[in-house]
Amino acid sequence: MVRDEFGLIDYVRSRLSKLGRADTVVGIGDDAAVLDMGLEKDYLLWATDSIVEGRHFNFNIGDRSLIGRKAVGAVMSDIAAMGGYPVHITVDMGIAPYVEMEDVDEILRGMMFLTELFSVDIVGGDTVASDRLYISVGCLGRVEREWLTLRSGARKFDEIWVSGPLGGSIYGRHMSVSPRIPEARFLVQNFRPTAMIDISDGLVADLYHILEESRVVGEIVRDWIPLHKDARSFDEALYMGEDFELLFCLSEEDSRRLEAIGNRLEYRFYRIGKVLERGNPGLYMRDGEAVYPLDKRGFSHF
Amino acid sequence: MVRDEFGLIDYVRSRLSKLGRADTVVGIGDDAAVLDMGLEKDYLLWATDSIVEGRHFNFNIGDRSLIGRKAVGAVMSDIAAMGGYPVHITVDMGIAPYVEMEDVDEILRGMMFLTELFSVDIVGGDTVASDRLYISVGCLGRVEREWLTLRSGARKFDEIWVSGPLGGSIYGRHMSVSPRIPEARFLVQNFRPTAMIDISDGLVADLYHILEESRVVGEIVRDWIPLHKDARSFDEALYMGEDFELLFCLSEEDSRRLEAIGNRLEYRFYRIGKVLERGNPGLYMRDGEAVYPLDKRGFSHF
């Protein structure tokens, strides 16, 4: 049976009854669910992420704390992509017979590196016996109502940005996730990003998520795409997943402002393209004088 | 390596740094985390539960919708045990190669049986490839601050109650979980349960959780323990897990009130014993004139 994670998520999404609870602002389909629990200023954000040994990480990695760091970092990255910040997490672990207590210690240490960095409490979880090690992390976050940033708000003439160089994460960097929470908070506090996502499936695949949810056509410029030093080819910057950088859109005015103060920032953002027009979602690459369409082919975990 | 789920949870709990966020009212250690997110009247509850094929369910069950029902029912049962009600869930699934789309459909159908019954939205989740099918469900619930019921509040002379007959769940009933949400809500709205838990590890093991957290000694009366018709021995009512009934304590006054209106209820509760005194946690069984100590041995998933 052939399928991919995106296809199955869409399928599950299509099968789920929508009760349309009044407190569900956004359900399945963005980086995190958005819940209106009656807080005066904030929405609650809720994301989950599962990683499975052999698929998303190798147990025989030298430093097993990175397994925990990846599990927690990936889900915190989802919270950042909504403009929010994490507050609490739960950790479910399927413990395989060959996992020793010291391994669990190491994994927890990697989790706590991030939870302590971002003042997050681990408030629950479940441990069960499993043939293979898996970790499923849930993360609750908060975001001020006016700062909530979805995938669906990109508009004509918006400019497209990323928060860091792309490509080559699979050669090791994908394990030492640094969720872009300070960067996301800087952006929503000082600008009004119209759409945002974190790059987990690859630049092109994740940009398509924005373009599709926003119903717009985009263009990226080959020379503007920042290549990570780990990348071994330009294609890796386009199609390789798990960069965990923010990909976002800003109005032309906000883009000029971000450029103007860019050299005073501790963060570095890269403008890589723009939204051309409303209409059937599509993506073009500008390469010198040439312009060609880019299809959606991206990194898939299946 | 020998261990049990309880031991590992305690170990993980002991290893976790306690940041002591002001909004974490109860972290790891009760049926659900209790979060004070700034809602005027309510606390937020958050529970997770993982089930793994071959350990908690058999994939070759006739009706695969029951796999979904169990995954969601078990975590809703945790929310009920806090006195609350569920509002949103997330579903992470590890999909094994032999799982067909129709199986996913069936599993979702079983989940939706419960989510529709209790007006709960499925707002997120993640699907990944896995060697074996596993399902990890997160559940957010709400409880009015004054109705929050922990494991730790049992007092001397409280009486001990269960919400239904026990034993024999493993012969099939453990899959068709009916979380005792209406019963829990009836109890907190009309009485003041001093402690509550859901029976997932077995009556004795879960009663010990209450006794330990409350620092009290209890006694149960053999003749008062309601035996389920599926049970094949009395020991099953004591030590077999996954009954998913509520186990709770009421003051003597509340107990008399519950008995008085008992025959007008749509629910049936059973008084099974009492709290003898404060002190080192312990449990006794009264059997006619004989009284003997019961040790903690209970059902373990490992």
Side-chain angles (χ1 to χ4, degrees):
Chain A
M1 184 173 167
V2 180
R3 81 191 133 209
D4 62 84
E5 284 183 313
F6 325 134
L8 189 58
I9 287 173
D10 285 346
Y11 180 74
V12 169
R13 181 181 178 183
S14 73
R15 292 283 298 119
L16 291 176
S17 54
K18 291 197 171 69
L19 285 171
R21 286 182 59 95
D23 55 5
T24 305
V25 180
V26 176
I28 296 175
D30 212 304
D31 291 87
V34 182
L35 308 176
D36 183 356
M37 304 304 270
L39 296 168
E40 197 186 341
K41 286 177 50 198
D42 294 359
Y43 288 125
L44 211 62
L45 302 170
W46 190 11
T48 70
D49 197 68
S50 280
I51 61 173
V52 176
E53 185 199 339
R55 188 74 221 159
H56 305 93
F57 64 89
N58 181 354
F59 187 64
N60 294 317
I61 188 174
D63 177 1
R64 288 185 177 139
S65 76
L66 292 176
I67 299 169
R69 178 163 168 181
K70 177 168 184 174
V72 168
V75 73
M76 285 184 170
S77 180
D78 286 327
I79 297 294
M82 310 298 287
Y85 58 98
V87 286
H88 297 98
I89 72 166
T90 55
V91 177
D92 281 19
M93 292 179 70
I95 310 277
Y98 48 81
V99 177
E100 301 292 334
M101 213 56 118
E102 305 85 77
D103 303 324
V104 174
D105 261 352
E106 280 297 282
I107 292 169
L108 292 175
R109 198 167 59 78
M111 292 180 174
M112 289 190 290
F113 171 77
L114 288 177
T115 56
E116 288 174 4
L117 189 60
F118 294 113
S119 301
V120 166
D121 267 359
I122 302 178
V123 295
D126 199 13
T127 57
V128 296
S130 172
D131 289 350
R132 282 231 189 178
L133 178 60
Y134 75 82
I135 305 177
S136 182
V137 179
C139 186
L140 282 181
R142 300 180 75 134
V143 63
E144 299 74 6
R145 286 165 191 258
E146 70 269 35
W147 292 346
L148 173 68
T149 310
L150 305 179
R151 298 176 177 180
S152 56
R155 294 162 308 187
K156 185 174 177 177
F157 300 144
D158 279 356
E159 302 192 359
I160 302 168
W161 294 77
V162 289
S163 62
L166 306 177
S169 73
I170 199 145
Y171 308 120
R173 207 171 75 251
H174 72 112
M175 294 302 292
S176 45
V177 182
S178 293
R180 300 305 187 202
I181 296 159
E183 291 83 350
R185 297 297 291 168
F186 165 80
L187 289 170
V188 298
Q189 283 163 3
N190 294 283
F191 303 90
R192 185 167 285 282
T194 56
M196 190 150 60
I197 193 170
D198 74 320
I199 299 182
S200 52
D201 300 327
L203 171 61
V204 171
D206 285 312
L207 184 49
Y208 258 103
H209 286 134
I210 286 181
L211 300 172
E212 285 169 349
E213 296 291 329
S214 302
R215 305 291 305 164
V216 293
V217 179
E219 176 189 81
I220 53 179
V221 179
R222 189 182 157 111
D223 290 346
W224 295 355
I225 295 167
L227 206 61
H228 197 280
K229 64 177 169 47
D230 295 347
R232 298 179 188 173
S233 77
F234 185 75
D235 261 17
E236 288 184 0
L238 296 183
Y239 296 115
M240 189 170 272
E242 308 205 328
D243 284 304
F244 296 112
E245 295 292 348
L246 297 171
L247 172 65
F248 57 99
C249 295
L250 290 180
S251 69
E252 291 177 288
E253 187 191 327
D254 269 356
S255 293
R256 295 299 80 73
R257 283 207 300 129
L258 182 57
E259 279 169 337
I261 62 175
N263 53 11
R264 289 186 280 122
L265 290 180
E266 56 186 310
Y267 317 119
R268 176 87 195 275
F269 300 100
Y270 302 82
R271 185 162 60 96
I272 61 167
K274 68 184 300 179
V275 176
L276 298 175
E277 58 187 12
R278 297 190 57 169
N280 277 340
L283 179 60
Y284 295 90
M285 170 75 93
R286 178 172 295 275
D287 186 1
E289 293 302 300
V291 175
Y292 51 92
L294 283 176
D295 75 13
K296 220 188 299 197
R297 170 178 70 92
F299 178 73
S300 165
H301 295 292
F302 271 81
Chain B
M1 186 175 167
V2 180
R3 79 190 137 211
D4 62 83
E5 283 185 313
F6 324 135
L8 189 56
I9 287 172
D10 285 346
Y11 180 74
V12 170
R13 182 182 179 183
S14 74
R15 291 284 298 120
L16 291 175
S17 54
K18 292 198 171 69
L19 284 170
R21 286 182 60 94
D23 54 6
T24 304
V25 180
V26 176
I28 296 175
D30 212 303
D31 291 86
V34 182
L35 308 176
D36 183 356
M37 304 302 272
L39 297 167
E40 197 186 340
K41 283 177 52 196
D42 294 359
Y43 288 127
L44 210 62
L45 302 170
W46 190 10
T48 70
D49 197 68
S50 280
I51 61 173
V52 175
E53 183 199 341
R55 188 76 222 157
H56 306 93
F57 64 90
N58 180 354
F59 187 64
N60 293 318
I61 189 175
D63 176 2
R64 287 184 178 141
S65 76
L66 292 177
I67 298 169
R69 179 164 168 180
K70 176 165 185 176
V72 168
V75 73
M76 286 183 169
S77 181
D78 285 327
I79 297 294
M82 310 298 288
Y85 57 97
V87 287
H88 298 98
I89 71 167
T90 55
V91 178
D92 281 18
M93 291 179 71
I95 309 277
Y98 48 81
V99 176
E100 301 291 334
M101 214 56 120
E102 305 86 73
D103 302 323
V104 175
D105 261 354
E106 280 297 283
I107 291 169
L108 291 175
R109 198 166 60 76
M111 291 179 175
M112 289 191 289
F113 171 77
L114 288 178
T115 57
E116 289 175 3
L117 188 62
F118 295 112
S119 301
V120 166
D121 267 359
I122 302 178
V123 295
D126 199 11
T127 57
V128 295
S130 173
D131 289 349
R132 284 232 188 177
L133 178 60
Y134 74 83
I135 305 176
S136 182
V137 180
C139 186
L140 282 182
R142 299 180 74 133
V143 63
E144 297 75 4
R145 285 164 191 261
E146 70 269 35
W147 292 347
L148 172 68
T149 311
L150 305 178
R151 298 176 177 179
S152 55
R155 294 162 308 188
K156 185 174 177 177
F157 300 144
D158 280 355
E159 301 191 359
I160 302 167
W161 293 76
V162 289
S163 62
L166 305 177
S169 75
I170 201 147
Y171 308 119
R173 206 171 78 249
H174 73 111
M175 295 301 293
S176 46
V177 182
S178 293
R180 301 304 187 202
I181 297 160
E183 291 83 350
R185 298 298 290 169
F186 165 79
L187 288 170
V188 296
Q189 283 162 6
N190 294 283
F191 303 90
R192 187 168 284 280
T194 56
M196 190 150 61
I197 194 171
D198 75 319
I199 298 181
S200 51
D201 300 326
L203 170 62
V204 170
D206 285 313
L207 184 48
Y208 258 104
H209 287 133
I210 286 181
L211 300 172
E212 285 167 352
E213 296 291 329
S214 302
R215 307 290 305 164
V216 293
V217 179
E219 175 191 81
I220 53 179
V221 179
R222 191 184 156 108
D223 290 347
W224 295 353
I225 295 167
L227 207 61
H228 195 280
K229 63 178 169 46
D230 295 346
R232 297 180 188 171
S233 76
F234 185 75
D235 260 16
E236 288 185 359
L238 295 184
Y239 296 114
M240 189 170 272
E242 308 206 329
D243 283 303
F244 296 112
E245 295 292 349
L246 297 171
L247 172 65
F248 57 98
C249 296
L250 291 180
S251 69
E252 290 177 288
E253 186 192 328
D254 270 356
S255 293
R256 294 299 80 71
R257 283 208 299 129
L258 182 57
E259 279 171 336
I261 62 174
N263 53 9
R264 288 184 282 123
L265 290 180
E266 55 185 310
Y267 318 119
R268 177 87 196 274
F269 300 99
Y270 302 82
R271 185 162 60 95
I272 61 168
K274 68 185 300 178
V275 176
L276 298 176
E277 58 188 10
R278 297 190 59 171
N280 276 341
L283 179 60
Y284 294 90
M285 170 76 92
R286 178 173 295 276
D287 187 1
E289 294 303 300
V291 175
Y292 52 90
L294 282 176
D295 75 14
K296 221 188 298 196
R297 170 177 71 93
F299 178 73
S300 165
H301 294 294
F302 272 81

